[in-house]
Amino acid sequence: EVRRCAFFFDVDGTLAEIQPRPELVSIPPRSLAVLEHLHVSDVPVAVISGRPLSQLDALLAPLNLPAAGVHGAERRTAAGQMQNLALNPDVFSAIERELAQACAEHPGLVLENKTVAFALHFRLAPELEDTARALAERFVERYEEVLTLQPGKCVFELKPRGASKGEVIRAFMQEPPFKGRRP
């Protein structure tokens, strides 16, 4: 029965179609209406994505749902509390500078700063997949104490250690209104 469930939705490839560039993604009005119906019916709903929370909020507007962005590095609880796994700002800036320089050598490879993580997109140049993978692996190895690699659909993400969609769902399941329900 729906009343005993808690729903967790991803955005890209689930609530929204994959697009050539991340900023072209939109969630269809019908999907937003279903999310709103569940939410107002007291069925716990959260959105879990690789996107930053700010982007999730823009895509879900006017809904303001519990959500986790950047694979759990950012999280807004059902009570509205913010929780973040953030890298040291100096280390983050150094990684960004080095990644930008490395990406500049490969037209078609797009670097996205997610404020707590980075994404190397190769959607516009699928032939750069191996290059993007090698670059991401090199950075994760170099900064292994703070970064981990998350492969995605036409993207390699470098996220803070400990950020995981599975872990963030477990955290939601420990709190009302998710607690005691079936995810």
Side-chain angles (χ1 to χ4, degrees):
E1 176 182 301
V2 171
R3 296 242 174 247
R4 291 194 287 183
C5 293
F7 290 91
F8 298 92
F9 294 97
D10 194 356
V11 173
D12 296 279
T14 303
L15 291 175
E17 294 291 325
I18 298 287
Q19 297 295 329
R21 297 187 62 88
E23 64 273 12
L24 299 176
V25 168
S26 65
I27 298 175
R30 182 177 166 154
S31 297
L32 289 172
V34 170
L35 292 174
E36 182 177 26
H37 175 74
L38 288 169
H39 184 64
V40 300
S41 300
D42 293 324
V43 176
V45 176
V47 176
I48 315 291
S49 175
R51 292 174 172 273
L53 274 177
S54 60
Q55 289 180 19
L56 292 178
D57 288 343
L59 288 167
L60 293 164
L63 296 175
N64 187 20
L65 299 173
V70 194
H71 305 280
E74 303 175 320
R75 183 166 86 99
R76 180 178 48 244
T77 68
Q81 296 173 323
M82 298 299 296
Q83 300 175 346
N84 293 320
L85 297 174
L87 297 178
N88 172 299
D90 294 333
V91 172
F92 189 84
S93 293
I95 294 170
E96 181 177 31
R97 280 191 306 276
E98 292 173 35
L99 273 172
Q101 186 175 9
C103 288
E105 298 172 16
H106 305 284
L109 190 58
V110 177
L111 175 63
E112 179 186 4
N113 176 333
K114 295 186 167 193
T115 69
V116 294
F118 301 99
L120 300 177
H121 296 276
F122 57 90
R123 287 182 179 136
L124 300 176
E127 69 278 6
L128 291 177
E129 179 176 3
D130 291 340
T131 300
R133 176 184 287 111
L135 182 61
E137 287 173 347
R138 190 168 68 236
F139 271 82
V140 167
E141 184 177 303
R142 186 161 168 218
Y143 292 98
E144 66 184 346
E145 68 282 356
V146 295
L147 291 178
T148 187
L149 182 62
Q150 177 72 50
K153 297 172 184 161
C154 298
V155 66
F156 291 101
E157 299 195 44
L158 295 85
K159 62 183 186 174
R161 283 209 163 280
S164 146
K165 289 181 181 178
E167 287 303 317
V168 83
I169 289 172
R170 278 188 266 289
F172 274 119
M173 291 304 297
Q174 299 303 309
E175 306 165 349
F178 300 94
K179 190 172 186 169
R181 294 185 179 244
R182 180 182 300 149

